[in-house]
Amino acid sequence: MSENSSKTQPPIVDRAAFEQRLEGLRAREKAHTHEGDAIAAARRRLPMVEVAADSPLLGPDGPVTLLDAFEGRRQMIAYYFMWWPGRPAAEQCEGCTWVMSHVGELAYLHSRDITFAVFCQGRNTAYGFGDAQTSYEESLRYRAFMGWAMPWYSAQPSLPSLLVGRELGLFHLVCYLRDGDRVFETYWTKRRGAEAVDYSYALMDLTVFGRQEDWEDSPAGWPRLGQATRTLGGAPDWPPLREWPGGRPTAQWPRVDADHSDDLGTSDTGPSTEPGHCHCH
């Protein structure tokens, strides 16, 4: 929305006062950057745990293994995509859609010998597994509808072992290292940790109104538009959704407006009895 009903905004000062306040914040930003560098250095010194390199996956041309998904590179980052089997596109996970919509050029990762791939889980935390091949084919049609081009597999055949000890059906970001024919897990994160993939939130955080979400620490009167990942209609003309099951994941609307088919080959059995959306917080 180009206009907001709230007229609350920061106080107006002269340039000198503005730069003085900004300089004070800049010191904190630099400290935050240096702490992030230190955390990354510690992450590079973590131990690793071996996982079965022959863990079966489903690929677009048939069965493959975890080792195959590396595409010959030494490292791989896998995003475990939440999935509602048998549900239409509008009811698929807006959080995962949000994250994957930021993945474009992979050449920079490839230049560092890193493969990026999506591992669709074939399930959601609120709903159990569907048929593995059917759910995978649905998810491939969703990828096509969204216009995504990243490698896309189903991890459903190996999900309990690949995400051992973690909540199946919840989105995860997992890093792997290949040593010959052996595969090791080196890092994983979930929920807000997946923000490493997107840039919209990072850019929103630079603006005066921020993400405009309810949980944020903002001055009284600042706009509160709810979550950015699902809207009632084509952004920016409609406000974000507050009540399930209306709306769609935000990034779907440009595809719908461009007459892309969102038919996943599912039989729409009506509104879900469980809230299908997920949250990154």
Side-chain angles (χ1 to χ4, degrees):
M1 293 181 294
S2 59
E3 295 287 340
N4 190 279
S5 58
S6 173
K7 299 300 183 182
T8 305
Q9 58 189 28
I12 300 173
V13 297
D14 60 25
R15 170 61 64 175
F18 171 73
E19 294 294 344
Q20 183 180 24
R21 289 289 299 274
L22 181 59
E23 191 59 30
L25 180 64
R26 193 80 73 208
R28 296 178 62 187
E29 288 180 336
K30 290 179 179 178
H32 177 73
T33 298
H34 294 158
E35 177 62 14
D37 292 342
I39 291 171
R43 190 181 295 117
R44 292 192 293 272
R45 289 165 172 78
L46 288 172
M48 60 186 183
V49 59
E50 189 164 11
V51 296
D54 60 353
S55 297
L57 307 173
L58 295 177
D61 298 319
V64 295
T65 66
L66 180 65
L67 185 64
D68 294 330
F70 278 77
E71 299 181 341
R73 299 183 183 90
R74 192 175 182 198
Q75 299 182 83
M76 179 169 65
I77 302 170
Y79 181 87
Y80 284 76
F81 198 103
M82 298 171 70
W83 189 253
W84 280 79
R87 306 307 304 178
E91 294 185 29
Q92 294 305 329
C93 177
E94 71 269 24
C96 291
T97 303
W98 165 278
V99 174
M100 287 303 98
S101 295
H102 292 84
V103 178
E105 181 57 68
L106 298 178
Y108 297 104
L109 292 176
H110 294 170
S111 74
R112 295 297 185 267
D113 212 14
I114 301 168
T115 289
F116 182 92
V118 170
F119 287 5
C120 197
Q121 299 188 61
R123 64 161 293 168
N124 187 287
T125 54
Y127 191 90
F129 289 111
D131 175 75
Q133 187 63 46
T134 300
S135 291
Y136 179 53
E137 291 170 358
E138 292 170 359
S139 74
L140 284 174
R141 286 191 283 272
Y142 189 64
R143 180 183 72 158
F145 163 57
M146 293 303 302
W148 298 332
M150 74 286 286
W152 192 282
Y153 304 94
S154 170
Q156 185 172 336
S158 302
L159 198 60
S161 58
L162 289 176
L163 291 183
V164 61
R166 285 157 280 191
E167 184 177 5
L168 302 187
L170 179 68
F171 60 95
H172 291 80
L173 196 61
V174 183
C175 296
Y176 297 100
L177 175 69
R178 180 179 64 86
D179 183 8
D181 292 336
R182 300 174 71 187
V183 174
F184 300 87
E185 184 177 330
T186 62
Y187 177 76
W188 68 271
T189 187
K190 61 181 180 178
R191 297 192 183 277
R192 291 196 64 185
E195 289 182 13
V197 183
D198 82 67
Y199 55 82
S200 289
Y201 271 148
L203 291 174
M204 290 178 190
D205 285 341
L206 300 180
T207 70
V208 66
F209 293 139
R211 305 183 186 191
Q212 303 176 54
E213 297 187 353
D214 293 335
W215 63 272
E216 285 182 286
D217 179 5
S218 294
W222 253 227
R224 302 287 187 178
L225 299 181
Q227 58 166 312
T229 55
R230 181 179 287 267
T231 58
L232 286 169
D237 298 326
W238 292 65
L241 175 83
R242 293 187 183 275
E243 298 293 334
W244 178 262
R248 285 176 177 268
T250 304
Q252 288 188 3
W253 290 107
R255 278 78 179 179
V256 173
D257 290 343
D259 296 324
H260 292 190
S261 173
D262 62 354
D263 179 8
L264 305 185
T266 62
S267 56
D268 186 357
T269 56
S272 303
T273 57
E274 305 265 3
H277 52 283
C278 61
H279 299 281
C280 296
H281 309 308

